[in-house]
């Protein structure tokens, strides 16, 4: 099915806003699979806020509504914000992001993120700017890493439950270095399994 704007996995509702992303990660699931858990997340047309809101089943309960698809949600920050404002208070809201939202939007969006979201998950993926750039290839180059660390730190400081996540394929030493970095920045930490 084309134009999957919302999809369900394990009791959560996911919102697929865009295929745009400031990164080109070597391990990105988009490079390996043309569907995710059976959902085709490549979009022929990006949705409006109204199209997303009307695609959400009215008769179902969800543990969380998660902004996460085949792209970086903050690439469409105005639409994201409109949807989150409409859903705020009805659902627990989570943002899965590469943490580059401030760079992408040219301003600090973390005050608004902290107002709207209950939880933020930032993909950390590496312990230094050089290593991050080697595997994630951000359009912002090495500046991306410092910006995403600051983004997560700022969200956590403003009271949002904020995690850094890494995929286990980066190796044990890197995972441990990332765990220390998370701790130093007062950000929670989780290790995800690499999806082949
Ligand atoms: S940040 Fe996420 S969506 Fe973007 S390329 Fe990396 S893994 Fe893929």
């Amino acid at each position: 099915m084309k134009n999957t704007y919302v999809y369900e996995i394990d009791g959560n509702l996911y919102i697929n806003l865009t295929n745009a992303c400031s990164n080109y990660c070597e391990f990105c699931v988009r490079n390996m699979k043309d569907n995710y858990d059976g959902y085709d997340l490549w979009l022929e047309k990006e949705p409006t806020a109204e199209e997303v809101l009307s695609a959400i089943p009215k008769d179902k309960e969800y543990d969380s509504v998660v902004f996460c698809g085949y792209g970086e949600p903050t690439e469409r920050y105005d639409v994201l914000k409109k949807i989150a404002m409409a859903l705020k208070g009805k659902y627990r809201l989570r943002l899965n992001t590469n943490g580059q939202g401030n760079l992408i939007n040219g301003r600090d969006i973390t005050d608004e993120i902290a107002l709207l979201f209950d939880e933020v998950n930032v993909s950390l993926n590496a312990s230094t700017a050089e290593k991050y750039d080697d595997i994630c290839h951000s359009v912002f180059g090495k500046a991306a890493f410092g910006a995403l660390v600051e983004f997560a730190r700022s969200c956590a400081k403003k009271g949002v439950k904020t995690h850094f996540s890494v995929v286990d394929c980066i190796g044990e030493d890197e995972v441990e270095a990332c765990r220390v970095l998370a701790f130093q920045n007062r950000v929670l930490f989780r290790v995800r399994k690499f999806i082949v």
Side-chain angles (χ1 to χ4, degrees):
M1 187 176 79
K2 288 291 174 193
N3 293 329
T4 305
Y5 297 151
V6 302
Y7 59 105
E8 297 176 24
I9 299 177
D10 294 339
N12 293 322
L13 185 83
Y14 289 79
I15 296 178
N16 182 34
L17 271 189
T18 183
N19 293 146
C21 185
S22 51
N23 273 0
Y24 192 82
C25 301
E26 292 178 8
F27 50 80
C28 181
V29 68
R30 304 185 304 176
N31 305 336
M32 297 167 203
K33 293 156 67 121
D34 57 10
N35 75 83
Y36 188 77
D37 217 42
Y39 295 103
D40 178 356
L41 299 181
W42 289 111
L43 297 168
E44 286 177 344
K45 177 191 136 354
E46 292 182 328
T48 62
E50 291 71 26
E51 283 171 327
V52 170
L53 292 169
S54 66
I56 297 175
K58 304 286 175 282
D59 53 342
K60 285 194 169 175
E61 306 239 326
Y62 297 102
D63 295 335
S64 295
V65 170
V66 187
F67 289 75
C68 174
Y70 266 12
E72 165 53 37
T74 62
E75 291 274 0
R76 299 202 64 219
Y77 184 59
D78 287 346
V79 176
L80 177 155
K81 203 164 51 171
K82 205 167 172 186
I83 298 167
M85 284 166 70
L87 300 180
K88 176 80 184 157
K90 296 185 189 147
Y91 303 98
R92 185 172 175 78
L93 299 183
R94 188 171 92 214
L95 171 64
N96 285 6
T97 174
N98 65 16
Q100 295 170 33
N102 289 348
L103 290 178
I104 291 166
N105 292 283
R107 68 184 181 90
D108 186 349
I109 61 172
T110 59
D111 275 344
E112 293 165 355
I113 295 290
L115 277 176
L116 291 169
F117 284 87
D118 301 288
E119 216 175 314
V120 170
N121 186 80
V122 177
S123 301
L124 179 61
N125 296 327
S127 64
T128 67
E130 287 70 25
K131 287 176 183 167
Y132 184 85
D133 196 41
D134 278 352
I135 54 174
C136 293
H137 311 291
S138 171
V139 296
F140 301 108
K142 292 193 177 72
F145 186 75
L148 75 87
V149 171
E150 186 50 38
F151 182 91
R153 196 157 70 113
S154 184
C155 288
K157 208 167 151 192
K158 290 169 184 170
V160 191
K161 185 176 181 188
T162 307
H163 280 88
F164 273 137
S165 69
V166 297
V167 275
D168 58 1
C169 64
I170 62 175
E172 274 178 39
D173 289 352
E174 257 301 87
V175 168
E176 289 319 305
C178 289
R179 193 189 305 278
V180 170
L181 186 80
F183 183 76
Q184 287 168 339
N185 286 283
R186 307 291 185 265
V187 173
L188 300 165
F189 185 69
R190 65 163 65 102
V191 183
R192 291 188 292 111
K193 281 234 158 297
F194 179 52
I195 303 166
V196 181

